[in-house]
Amino acid sequence: MFSIYMGGQDKTNQIIDWKLWNKENKLMVTVEFPSGKSYTKPLDSCEIMPKKDMKSGLLSREKDIYQLIDSATEYGNKYVVIKYPNDQKNIL
């Protein structure tokens, strides 16, 4: 179960799907309504729960392949945003 607040408004029960995406290294949230319309806001003006923050460590991507990360944040049990050392980009 997840919850999405956009601009302080709870959109959770009004939407059929949502996605997190990157536009010019700015994270965006788009929600889709049953009518076919969609609504997009920057992630920093939204709240998605559950949200789980993970600190620096090793990320296992494939069997026996590990990468050092600065942090990772999981949003709504659906997307993980990863920040790598010495890289300002947000990777989904």
Side-chain angles (χ1 to χ4, degrees):
M1 185 57 115
F2 67 93
S3 297
I4 296 181
Y5 290 79
M6 301 178 87
Q9 296 182 2
D10 186 357
K11 300 290 184 187
T12 309
N13 293 327
Q14 302 169 22
I15 63 173
I16 57 171
D17 199 10
W18 67 282
K19 65 180 176 178
L20 187 62
W21 54 284
N22 197 331
K23 178 182 181 182
E24 299 170 2
N25 203 38
K26 184 165 182 93
L27 292 171
M28 308 295 286
V29 179
T30 299
V31 295
E32 296 177 27
F33 298 97
S35 66
K37 292 183 181 182
S38 62
Y39 184 64
T40 300
K41 283 278 215 188
L43 177 60
D44 57 10
S45 68
C46 301
E47 184 177 357
I48 301 173
M49 298 177 286
K51 178 182 172 186
K52 181 179 178 185
D53 291 315
M54 295 161 257
K55 300 295 178 193
S56 63
L58 292 175
L59 174 69
S60 173
R61 293 190 66 136
E62 296 176 21
K63 186 177 180 182
D64 298 328
I65 297 177
Y66 297 91
Q67 291 181 297
L68 183 64
I69 64 169
D70 275 342
S71 65
T73 304
E74 182 180 285
Y75 294 94
N77 298 320
K78 187 173 181 179
Y79 293 99
V80 177
V81 176
I82 302 168
K83 292 189 180 188
Y84 292 99
N86 302 316
D87 191 350
Q88 297 301 312
K89 295 178 188 171
N90 294 307
I91 308 297
L92 287 170

Coordinates of all heavy atoms in Angstrom, one line a residue:
M1 N 0.8 -1.2 0.0 CA 0.0 0.0 0.0 C 0.9 1.2 0.0 O 1.9 1.3 0.6 CB -0.9 0.0 1.2 CG -1.9 1.1 1.2 SD -2.9 1.1 -0.2 CE -4.5 0.8 0.5
F2 N 0.5 2.3 -0.7 CA 1.2 3.5 -0.8 C 0.3 4.7 -0.7 O -0.9 4.6 -0.8 CB 2.0 3.6 -2.1 CG 1.1 3.7 -3.3 CD1 0.8 5.0 -3.8 CD2 0.6 2.6 -3.9 CE1 -0.1 5.1 -4.9 CE2 -0.3 2.7 -5.0 CZ -0.6 4.0 -5.5
S3 N 0.9 5.9 -0.4 CA 0.1 7.1 -0.4 C 0.9 8.2 -1.2 O 2.1 8.2 -1.1 CB -0.1 7.6 1.0 OG -0.8 6.7 1.8
I4 N 0.2 9.0 -1.9 CA 0.9 10.1 -2.6 C 0.1 11.4 -2.3 O -1.1 11.5 -2.5 CB 0.8 9.8 -4.2 CG1 1.7 8.6 -4.5 CG2 1.4 11.0 -4.9 CD1 1.7 8.3 -6.0
Y5 N 0.9 12.4 -1.9 CA 0.4 13.7 -1.6 C 1.1 14.6 -2.6 O 2.4 14.6 -2.7 CB 0.7 14.2 -0.2 CG -0.1 13.4 0.8 CD1 0.2 12.2 1.3 CD2 -1.3 14.0 1.4 CE1 -0.6 11.5 2.2 CE2 -2.0 13.4 2.3 CZ -1.7 12.1 2.7 OH -2.4 11.5 3.6
M6 N 0.4 15.4 -3.3 CA 1.0 16.4 -4.3 C 0.5 17.8 -3.9 O -0.7 18.0 -3.9 CB 0.6 16.0 -5.7 CG 1.0 14.6 -6.1 SD 0.6 14.1 -7.8 CE 1.9 14.8 -8.7
G7 N 1.4 18.6 -3.7 CA 1.0 20.0 -3.2 C 0.2 20.0 -2.0 O -0.7 20.8 -1.9
G8 N 0.4 19.0 -1.1 CA -0.4 18.9 0.1 C -1.7 18.2 0.0 O -2.4 18.0 1.0
Q9 N -2.1 17.8 -1.2 CA -3.4 17.1 -1.4 C -3.2 15.6 -1.6 O -2.3 15.2 -2.3 CB -4.1 17.6 -2.6 CG -4.5 19.1 -2.5 CD -5.3 19.6 -3.7 OE1 -5.5 18.8 -4.7 NE2 -5.6 20.8 -3.7
D10 N -4.0 14.8 -0.9 CA -3.9 13.4 -1.0 C -4.5 12.9 -2.3 O -5.7 13.1 -2.5 CB -4.6 12.7 0.2 CG -4.5 11.2 0.2 OD1 -3.9 10.6 -0.7 OD2 -5.0 10.6 1.2
K11 N -3.7 12.4 -3.2 CA -4.2 11.9 -4.5 C -4.4 10.4 -4.6 O -4.8 9.8 -5.6 CB -3.2 12.3 -5.6 CG -3.0 13.8 -5.7 CD -4.2 14.5 -6.3 CE -3.9 16.0 -6.5 NZ -5.1 16.7 -6.9
T12 N -4.0 9.7 -3.5 CA -3.9 8.2 -3.5 C -5.2 7.6 -4.0 O -5.1 6.7 -4.9 CB -3.7 7.7 -2.0 OG1 -2.5 8.5 -1.5 CG2 -3.4 6.3 -2.0
N13 N -6.4 7.9 -3.5 CA -7.6 7.2 -3.9 C -8.2 7.7 -5.2 O -9.2 7.1 -5.7 CB -8.6 7.4 -2.8 CG -8.2 6.6 -1.5 OD1 -7.6 5.6 -1.6 ND2 -8.6 7.2 -0.4
Q14 N -7.6 8.7 -5.8 CA -8.1 9.3 -7.1 C -7.3 8.7 -8.3 O -7.7 9.0 -9.4 CB -7.9 10.8 -7.1 CG -8.6 11.5 -5.9 CD -8.3 12.9 -5.8 OE1 -7.8 13.5 -6.8 NE2 -8.5 13.5 -4.6
I15 N -6.2 8.0 -8.1 CA -5.3 7.7 -9.2 C -5.4 6.2 -9.5 O -5.7 5.4 -8.6 CB -3.9 8.1 -9.0 CG1 -3.3 7.4 -7.8 CG2 -3.8 9.6 -8.8 CD1 -1.8 7.6 -7.6
I16 N -5.0 5.8 -10.7 CA -4.9 4.4 -11.1 C -3.5 3.9 -11.2 O -3.2 2.7 -11.1 CB -5.7 4.1 -12.4 CG1 -5.2 4.9 -13.6 CG2 -7.2 4.3 -12.2 CD1 -5.7 4.5 -14.9
D17 N -2.6 4.9 -11.4 CA -1.1 4.5 -11.4 C -0.3 5.8 -11.2 O -0.8 6.9 -11.3 CB -0.8 3.9 -12.8 CG 0.5 3.1 -12.7 OD1 1.0 2.8 -11.6 OD2 1.0 2.7 -13.8
W18 N 1.0 5.6 -11.0 CA 1.9 6.7 -10.8 C 3.3 6.2 -11.3 O 3.6 5.0 -11.3 CB 1.9 7.2 -9.4 CG 2.5 6.2 -8.4 CD1 1.9 5.1 -7.9 CD2 3.8 6.2 -7.8 NE1 2.7 4.4 -7.0 CE2 3.9 5.1 -7.0 CE3 4.9 7.0 -8.0 CZ2 5.0 4.8 -6.2 CZ3 6.1 6.7 -7.2 CH2 6.1 5.6 -6.4
K19 N 4.1 7.2 -11.6 CA 5.5 6.9 -12.0 C 6.4 8.0 -11.5 O 6.0 9.2 -11.3 CB 5.6 6.7 -13.5 CG 5.3 7.9 -14.3 CD 5.5 7.6 -15.8 CE 5.2 8.8 -16.7 NZ 5.4 8.5 -18.1
L20 N 7.6 7.7 -11.3 CA 8.7 8.6 -10.9 C 9.7 8.6 -12.1 O 10.0 7.5 -12.6 CB 9.3 8.0 -9.6 CG 10.4 8.9 -8.9 CD1 9.8 10.2 -8.4 CD2 11.0 8.1 -7.7
W21 N 10.0 9.7 -12.5 CA 10.9 9.8 -13.7 C 11.8 11.0 -13.6 O 11.6 11.9 -12.7 CB 10.1 9.8 -15.0 CG 9.1 10.9 -15.1 CD1 7.8 10.9 -14.5 CD2 9.1 12.1 -15.8 NE1 7.2 12.1 -14.8 CE2 7.9 12.8 -15.6 CE3 10.1 12.7 -16.6 CZ2 7.6 14.1 -16.2 CZ3 9.8 13.9 -17.2 CH2 8.6 14.6 -17.0
N22 N 12.8 11.1 -14.4 CA 13.9 12.1 -14.3 C 13.8 13.0 -15.5 O 13.8 12.6 -16.7 CB 15.2 11.4 -14.3 CG 16.4 12.3 -13.8 OD1 16.3 13.5 -14.0 ND2 17.4 11.6 -13.3
K23 N 13.7 14.3 -15.3 CA 13.7 15.3 -16.4 C 14.8 16.3 -16.1 O 14.7 17.1 -15.2 CB 12.3 16.1 -16.4 CG 12.2 17.1 -17.4 CD 10.9 17.9 -17.4 CE 10.8 18.9 -18.4 NZ 9.6 19.7 -18.3
E24 N 15.8 16.2 -16.9 CA 17.0 17.1 -16.8 C 17.5 17.0 -15.4 O 17.8 18.1 -14.7 CB 16.6 18.5 -17.2 CG 16.2 18.6 -18.7 CD 15.6 19.9 -19.1 OE1 15.6 20.8 -18.2 OE2 15.2 20.0 -20.2
N25 N 17.7 15.9 -14.8 CA 18.2 15.6 -13.5 C 17.3 16.1 -12.4 O 17.8 16.4 -11.3 CB 19.7 16.0 -13.3 CG 20.3 15.2 -12.2 OD1 20.1 14.0 -12.0 ND2 21.1 15.9 -11.4
K26 N 16.1 16.4 -12.6 CA 15.1 16.7 -11.6 C 14.0 15.6 -11.6 O 13.4 15.3 -12.6 CB 14.4 18.1 -11.9 CG 13.5 18.5 -10.9 CD 13.1 20.0 -11.0 CE 12.2 20.5 -9.9 NZ 13.0 21.0 -8.8
L27 N 13.8 15.1 -10.4 CA 12.9 14.0 -10.3 C 11.5 14.5 -10.3 O 11.1 15.5 -9.6 CB 13.1 13.2 -9.0 CG 14.5 12.4 -9.0 CD1 14.8 11.8 -7.6 CD2 14.5 11.3 -10.0
M28 N 10.6 13.8 -11.1 CA 9.2 14.2 -11.3 C 8.3 13.1 -10.9 O 8.7 11.9 -11.1 CB 9.0 14.6 -12.7 CG 9.9 15.7 -13.3 SD 9.8 17.3 -12.5 CE 8.3 17.9 -13.2
V29 N 7.1 13.4 -10.5 CA 6.1 12.4 -10.2 C 4.9 12.7 -11.1 O 4.4 13.8 -11.1 CB 5.6 12.5 -8.7 CG1 4.5 11.4 -8.4 CG2 6.8 12.3 -7.8
T30 N 4.4 11.7 -11.8 CA 3.2 11.8 -12.6 C 2.2 10.8 -12.1 O 2.5 9.6 -12.0 CB 3.5 11.5 -14.1 OG1 4.5 12.5 -14.6 CG2 2.3 11.6 -15.0
V31 N 1.0 11.2 -11.9 CA -0.1 10.4 -11.5 C -1.1 10.3 -12.7 O -1.3 11.3 -13.4 CB -0.8 10.8 -10.2 CG1 0.1 10.7 -9.0 CG2 -1.4 12.2 -10.3
E32 N -1.7 9.1 -12.8 CA -2.7 8.9 -13.9 C -4.1 8.7 -13.3 O -4.2 7.9 -12.3 CB -2.3 7.7 -14.7 CG -1.0 8.0 -15.5 CD -0.6 6.7 -16.3 OE1 -1.5 6.0 -16.7 OE2 0.6 6.6 -16.5
F33 N -5.1 9.4 -13.8 CA -6.5 9.3 -13.3 C -7.3 8.4 -14.2 O -6.9 8.2 -15.4 CB -7.1 10.7 -13.3 CG -6.4 11.6 -12.3 CD1 -5.5 12.5 -12.8 CD2 -6.7 11.6 -11.0 CE1 -4.8 13.4 -11.9 CE2 -6.0 12.5 -10.1 CZ -5.1 13.4 -10.6
P34 N -8.4 7.8 -13.7 CA -9.2 6.9 -14.5 C -9.7 7.6 -15.8 O -10.0 6.9 -16.8 CB -10.4 6.6 -13.6 CG -9.8 6.7 -12.2 CD -8.8 7.9 -12.3
S35 N -9.8 8.9 -15.8 CA -10.3 9.6 -17.0 C -9.3 9.6 -18.1 O -9.6 10.0 -19.2 CB -10.6 11.1 -16.6 OG -9.5 11.8 -16.2
G36 N -8.1 9.2 -17.8 CA -7.0 9.3 -18.8 C -6.1 10.5 -18.7 O -5.1 10.6 -19.3
K37 N -6.5 11.4 -17.9 CA -5.7 12.6 -17.6 C -4.6 12.3 -16.7 O -4.7 11.3 -15.9 CB -6.5 13.7 -17.1 CG -7.5 14.3 -18.1 CD -8.3 15.5 -17.5 CE -9.3 16.0 -18.5 NZ -10.0 17.1 -18.0
S38 N -3.5 13.1 -16.7 CA -2.4 12.9 -15.8 C -2.0 14.2 -15.2 O -2.4 15.3 -15.7 CB -1.2 12.2 -16.5 OG -0.7 13.1 -17.6
Y39 N -1.3 14.2 -14.1 CA -0.8 15.4 -13.4 C 0.6 15.1 -13.0 O 0.9 14.1 -12.4 CB -1.8 15.5 -12.2 CG -1.6 16.7 -11.3 CD1 -1.8 18.0 -11.8 CD2 -1.2 16.6 -10.0 CE1 -1.6 19.1 -11.0 CE2 -1.0 17.7 -9.2 CZ -1.3 19.0 -9.7 OH -1.1 20.1 -8.9
T40 N 1.5 16.1 -13.2 CA 2.9 16.0 -12.9 C 3.3 17.1 -12.0 O 3.0 18.3 -12.2 CB 3.7 16.0 -14.2 OG1 3.3 14.9 -15.0 CG2 5.2 15.9 -13.9
K41 N 4.2 16.8 -11.0 CA 4.8 17.7 -10.1 C 6.2 17.3 -9.8 O 6.5 16.1 -9.8 CB 4.0 17.7 -8.7 CG 2.7 18.5 -8.7 CD 3.0 19.9 -8.6 CE 1.9 20.6 -7.8 NZ 2.1 22.0 -7.7
P42 N 7.1 18.2 -9.4 CA 8.4 17.8 -9.0 C 8.3 17.0 -7.7 O 7.5 17.2 -6.8 CB 9.1 19.1 -8.7 CG 8.3 20.1 -9.4 CD 6.9 19.6 -9.5
L43 N 9.2 16.0 -7.5 CA 9.2 15.1 -6.4 C 9.3 15.9 -5.1 O 8.7 15.6 -4.1 CB 10.3 14.1 -6.5 CG 10.4 13.1 -5.3 CD1 9.2 12.3 -5.0 CD2 11.6 12.2 -5.5
D44 N 10.1 17.0 -5.1 CA 10.3 17.8 -3.9 C 9.1 18.5 -3.4 O 9.1 19.0 -2.3 CB 11.5 18.7 -4.0 CG 11.4 19.7 -5.2 OD1 10.4 19.8 -5.8 OD2 12.5 20.4 -5.4
S45 N 8.0 18.5 -4.2 CA 6.8 19.1 -3.8 C 5.7 18.0 -3.5 O 4.5 18.3 -3.4 CB 6.2 20.2 -4.8 OG 5.8 19.5 -6.0
C46 N 6.2 16.8 -3.5 CA 5.3 15.6 -3.2 C 5.8 14.8 -2.0 O 6.9 15.0 -1.6 CB 5.3 14.7 -4.4 SG 4.8 15.5 -6.0
E47 N 4.9 14.1 -1.5 CA 5.2 13.1 -0.4 C 4.7 11.8 -0.8 O 3.5 11.6 -1.1 CB 4.6 13.6 0.9 CG 5.0 12.7 2.1 CD 4.5 13.2 3.4 OE1 3.8 14.2 3.4 OE2 4.7 12.5 4.4
I48 N 5.6 10.8 -0.9 CA 5.2 9.4 -1.3 C 5.6 8.5 -0.1 O 6.7 8.6 0.4 CB 5.9 9.0 -2.5 CG1 5.6 9.9 -3.7 CG2 5.6 7.5 -2.8 CD1 6.4 9.6 -5.0
M49 N 4.6 7.8 0.4 CA 4.8 6.9 1.5 C 4.4 5.5 1.1 O 3.5 5.3 0.4 CB 4.0 7.3 2.7 CG 4.4 8.7 3.2 SD 3.4 9.3 4.6 CE 1.9 9.7 3.8
P50 N 5.1 4.4 1.6 CA 6.3 4.5 2.5 C 7.5 5.1 1.7 O 7.6 4.9 0.5 CB 6.5 3.1 3.0 CG 5.9 2.3 1.9 CD 4.8 3.1 1.3
K51 N 8.4 5.7 2.5 CA 9.7 6.2 2.0 C 10.7 5.6 2.9 O 10.7 5.7 4.1 CB 9.7 7.7 2.0 CG 11.0 8.3 1.6 CD 11.0 9.8 1.7 CE 12.3 10.4 1.5 NZ 12.4 11.8 1.7
K52 N 11.7 4.9 2.2 CA 12.8 4.3 3.0 C 14.1 4.8 2.5 O 14.5 4.6 1.4 CB 12.7 2.7 2.8 CG 13.7 2.0 3.6 CD 13.6 0.5 3.3 CE 14.6 -0.3 4.1 NZ 14.5 -1.7 3.7
D53 N 14.8 5.4 3.4 CA 16.2 5.9 3.1 C 17.2 4.9 3.5 O 17.2 4.4 4.6 CB 16.4 7.3 3.9 CG 15.6 8.4 3.3 OD1 15.5 8.5 2.1 OD2 15.0 9.1 4.2
M54 N 18.2 4.8 2.7 CA 19.3 3.9 2.9 C 20.6 4.7 2.8 O 20.8 5.4 1.9 CB 19.3 2.7 2.0 CG 18.1 1.8 2.2 SD 17.8 0.8 0.7 CE 16.4 1.7 0.0
K55 N 21.5 4.5 3.7 CA 22.8 5.2 3.7 C 23.8 4.6 2.8 O 23.5 3.5 2.2 CB 23.3 5.4 5.1 CG 22.4 6.1 6.1 CD 22.2 7.5 5.7 CE 21.2 8.2 6.6 NZ 20.8 9.5 6.0
S56 N 25.0 5.2 2.8 CA 26.0 4.6 1.9 C 26.4 3.2 2.2 O 26.2 2.7 3.3 CB 27.3 5.5 2.0 OG 27.8 5.4 3.3
G57 N 26.8 2.5 1.2 CA 27.2 1.1 1.3 C 27.4 0.5 -0.1 O 27.6 1.2 -1.1
L58 N 27.2 -0.8 -0.1 CA 27.4 -1.5 -1.4 C 26.0 -1.9 -1.9 O 25.2 -2.4 -1.2 CB 28.3 -2.8 -1.2 CG 29.7 -2.5 -0.9 CD1 30.5 -3.8 -0.6 CD2 30.4 -1.8 -2.1
L59 N 25.8 -1.7 -3.2 CA 24.6 -2.1 -3.8 C 24.9 -3.3 -4.7 O 25.8 -3.3 -5.5 CB 24.1 -1.0 -4.7 CG 22.9 -1.3 -5.6 CD1 21.6 -1.4 -4.7 CD2 22.7 -0.1 -6.6
S60 N 24.1 -4.4 -4.5 CA 24.2 -5.6 -5.4 C 23.3 -5.4 -6.5 O 22.1 -5.4 -6.4 CB 23.9 -6.8 -4.5 OG 23.8 -7.9 -5.3
R61 N 23.8 -5.3 -7.7 CA 23.0 -5.1 -8.9 C 22.8 -6.5 -9.7 O 21.7 -6.7 -10.2 CB 23.7 -4.1 -9.9 CG 23.7 -2.7 -9.2 CD 24.1 -1.8 -10.2 NE 23.1 -1.7 -11.3 CZ 22.6 -0.6 -11.8 NH1 23.1 0.6 -11.4 NH2 21.7 -0.6 -12.7
E62 N 23.8 -7.2 -9.7 CA 23.7 -8.6 -10.4 C 24.5 -9.5 -9.5 O 25.2 -9.1 -8.6 CB 24.2 -8.5 -11.8 CG 23.4 -7.6 -12.7 CD 24.0 -7.5 -14.1 OE1 24.8 -8.4 -14.5 OE2 23.7 -6.5 -14.8
K63 N 24.4 -10.8 -9.8 CA 25.2 -11.7 -9.1 C 26.7 -11.4 -9.1 O 27.3 -11.2 -10.1 CB 25.0 -13.1 -9.7 CG 25.6 -14.2 -8.9 CD 25.3 -15.6 -9.4 CE 26.0 -16.6 -8.6 NZ 25.8 -18.0 -9.1
D64 N 27.2 -11.2 -7.9 CA 28.6 -10.9 -7.7 C 29.1 -9.6 -8.2 O 30.3 -9.4 -8.4 CB 29.5 -12.1 -8.2 CG 29.2 -13.4 -7.6 OD1 28.9 -13.4 -6.4 OD2 29.3 -14.4 -8.2
I65 N 28.2 -8.7 -8.5 CA 28.6 -7.3 -9.0 C 28.1 -6.3 -7.9 O 26.9 -6.3 -7.7 CB 28.0 -7.0 -10.4 CG1 28.6 -7.9 -11.4 CG2 28.3 -5.5 -10.7 CD1 28.0 -7.7 -12.8
Y66 N 29.0 -5.6 -7.3 CA 28.6 -4.6 -6.3 C 29.2 -3.2 -6.7 O 30.2 -3.1 -7.3 CB 29.3 -5.0 -5.0 CG 28.7 -6.4 -4.5 CD1 29.4 -7.5 -4.8 CD2 27.6 -6.4 -3.7 CE1 28.9 -8.8 -4.3 CE2 27.1 -7.6 -3.2 CZ 27.8 -8.8 -3.6 OH 27.3 -10.0 -3.1
Q67 N 28.4 -2.2 -6.3 CA 28.8 -0.8 -6.6 C 28.6 0.0 -5.3 O 27.7 -0.2 -4.6 CB 27.9 -0.2 -7.7 CG 28.2 -0.8 -9.0 CD 27.3 -0.1 -10.1 OE1 26.1 -0.2 -10.0 NE2 28.0 0.5 -11.0
L68 N 29.6 0.9 -5.1 CA 29.5 1.8 -3.9 C 28.5 2.9 -4.2 O 28.5 3.5 -5.3 CB 30.9 2.4 -3.7 CG 31.0 3.3 -2.5 CD1 30.8 2.5 -1.2 CD2 32.4 3.9 -2.4
I69 N 27.6 3.1 -3.2 CA 26.6 4.2 -3.4 C 26.7 5.2 -2.2 O 27.2 4.8 -1.1 CB 25.2 3.7 -3.5 CG1 24.8 2.9 -2.2 CG2 25.0 2.8 -4.7 CD1 23.3 2.6 -2.1
D70 N 26.3 6.4 -2.4 CA 26.2 7.4 -1.4 C 24.9 7.2 -0.6 O 24.9 7.2 0.6 CB 26.3 8.8 -1.9 CG 27.7 9.3 -2.1 OD1 28.6 8.7 -1.5 OD2 27.8 10.3 -2.8
S71 N 23.8 7.0 -1.3 CA 22.5 6.8 -0.7 C 21.6 6.2 -1.7 O 21.8 6.2 -2.9 CB 22.0 8.1 -0.1 OG 21.7 9.0 -1.2
A72 N 20.5 5.7 -1.1 CA 19.4 5.2 -2.0 C 18.1 5.4 -1.2 O 18.0 5.4 0.0 CB 19.5 3.7 -2.2
T73 N 17.0 5.8 -1.9 CA 15.7 6.1 -1.3 C 14.7 5.3 -2.1 O 14.6 5.4 -3.3 CB 15.4 7.6 -1.3 OG1 16.4 8.3 -0.7 CG2 14.1 7.8 -0.6
E74 N 13.9 4.5 -1.4 CA 12.8 3.8 -2.0 C 11.5 4.5 -1.8 O 11.2 4.9 -0.7 CB 12.7 2.4 -1.4 CG 11.7 1.5 -2.0 CD 11.6 0.1 -1.4 OE1 12.5 -0.7 -1.7 OE2 10.7 -0.1 -0.6
Y75 N 10.7 4.7 -2.9 CA 9.5 5.4 -2.8 C 8.3 4.5 -3.1 O 8.3 3.8 -4.2 CB 9.5 6.6 -3.8 CG 10.4 7.7 -3.5 CD1 11.7 7.7 -4.1 CD2 10.1 8.7 -2.6 CE1 12.6 8.7 -3.8 CE2 11.0 9.7 -2.3 CZ 12.2 9.7 -2.9 OH 13.1 10.7 -2.6
G76 N 7.4 4.4 -2.2 CA 6.1 3.7 -2.5 C 6.3 2.2 -2.8 O 5.5 1.6 -3.5
N77 N 7.4 1.6 -2.3 CA 7.7 0.2 -2.6 C 7.7 -0.1 -4.1 O 7.5 -1.2 -4.6 CB 6.7 -0.7 -2.0 CG 6.7 -0.7 -0.5 OD1 7.7 -0.5 0.1 ND2 5.5 -0.7 0.1
K78 N 8.0 1.0 -5.0 CA 8.0 0.8 -6.4 C 9.3 1.3 -7.1 O 9.7 0.7 -8.0 CB 6.8 1.6 -7.0 CG 6.5 1.4 -8.4 CD 5.2 2.1 -8.8 CE 4.9 1.9 -10.3 NZ 3.7 2.5 -10.7
Y79 N 9.8 2.4 -6.7 CA 11.0 3.0 -7.3 C 12.1 3.2 -6.3 O 11.8 3.5 -5.1 CB 10.7 4.4 -7.9 CG 9.8 4.3 -9.1 CD1 8.4 4.5 -8.9 CD2 10.2 3.9 -10.4 CE1 7.5 4.4 -10.0 CE2 9.4 3.8 -11.4 CZ 8.0 4.1 -11.3 OH 7.2 4.0 -12.3
V80 N 13.4 3.1 -6.7 CA 14.5 3.4 -5.9 C 15.4 4.4 -6.6 O 15.7 4.2 -7.8 CB 15.4 2.1 -5.6 CG1 16.6 2.5 -4.8 CG2 14.5 1.1 -4.9
V81 N 15.7 5.5 -5.9 CA 16.6 6.5 -6.5 C 17.9 6.3 -5.8 O 18.0 6.3 -4.6 CB 16.0 7.9 -6.2 CG1 17.0 9.0 -6.6 CG2 14.6 8.1 -6.8
I82 N 19.0 6.2 -6.7 CA 20.3 5.9 -6.2 C 21.2 7.1 -6.5 O 21.2 7.7 -7.6 CB 20.9 4.7 -6.9 CG1 20.0 3.5 -6.6 CG2 22.3 4.4 -6.4 CD1 20.2 2.3 -7.4
K83 N 22.0 7.5 -5.5 CA 23.1 8.5 -5.7 C 24.4 7.8 -5.5 O 24.7 7.2 -4.5 CB 22.9 9.6 -4.7 CG 21.6 10.4 -5.0 CD 21.5 11.7 -4.2 CE 20.2 12.3 -4.5 NZ 20.1 13.6 -3.9
Y84 N 25.2 8.0 -6.6 CA 26.6 7.4 -6.5 C 27.6 8.5 -6.1 O 27.4 9.6 -6.3 CB 27.0 6.9 -7.9 CG 26.1 5.7 -8.3 CD1 25.0 5.8 -9.2 CD2 26.5 4.4 -7.9 CE1 24.3 4.7 -9.6 CE2 25.7 3.3 -8.3 CZ 24.6 3.5 -9.1 OH 23.9 2.4 -9.5
P85 N 28.7 8.0 -5.5 CA 29.8 9.0 -5.1 C 30.3 9.8 -6.3 O 30.4 9.2 -7.4 CB 30.9 8.1 -4.6 CG 30.3 6.8 -4.3 CD 29.1 6.6 -5.2
N86 N 30.6 11.0 -6.1 CA 31.1 11.9 -7.2 C 30.2 12.0 -8.4 O 30.7 12.3 -9.5 CB 32.5 11.5 -7.6 CG 33.4 11.4 -6.4 OD1 33.5 12.3 -5.6 ND2 34.2 10.3 -6.3
D87 N 28.9 11.9 -8.2 CA 28.0 12.0 -9.4 C 26.7 12.7 -8.8 O 26.1 12.2 -7.9 CB 27.6 10.6 -9.9 CG 26.9 10.7 -11.3 OD1 26.5 11.8 -11.6 OD2 26.7 9.7 -11.9
Q88 N 26.4 13.8 -9.4 CA 25.2 14.6 -8.9 C 23.9 14.1 -9.5 O 22.9 14.6 -9.1 CB 25.4 16.1 -9.3 CG 26.6 16.7 -8.6 CD 26.5 16.6 -7.1 OE1 25.5 16.9 -6.5 NE2 27.6 16.1 -6.4
K89 N 24.0 13.1 -10.5 CA 22.7 12.7 -11.1 C 22.0 11.7 -10.2 O 22.5 11.0 -9.4 CB 23.1 11.9 -12.4 CG 23.7 12.7 -13.4 CD 24.1 11.9 -14.6 CE 24.9 12.7 -15.6 NZ 25.4 11.8 -16.7
N90 N 20.6 11.8 -10.3 CA 19.8 10.8 -9.6 C 19.5 9.7 -10.6 O 19.0 9.9 -11.7 CB 18.4 11.5 -9.3 CG 18.6 12.6 -8.2 OD1 19.2 12.3 -7.2 ND2 18.1 13.7 -8.5
I91 N 19.8 8.5 -10.2 CA 19.6 7.3 -11.0 C 18.4 6.5 -10.5 O 18.3 6.2 -9.3 CB 20.8 6.4 -11.1 CG1 22.1 7.2 -11.4 CG2 20.6 5.2 -12.0 CD1 22.1 7.8 -12.8
L92 N 17.4 6.2 -11.4 CA 16.3 5.4 -11.0 C 16.5 3.9 -11.3 O 17.2 3.6 -12.2 CB 15.0 5.8 -11.9 CG 14.4 7.1 -11.5 CD1 13.4 7.5 -12.5 CD2 13.8 7.0 -10.1

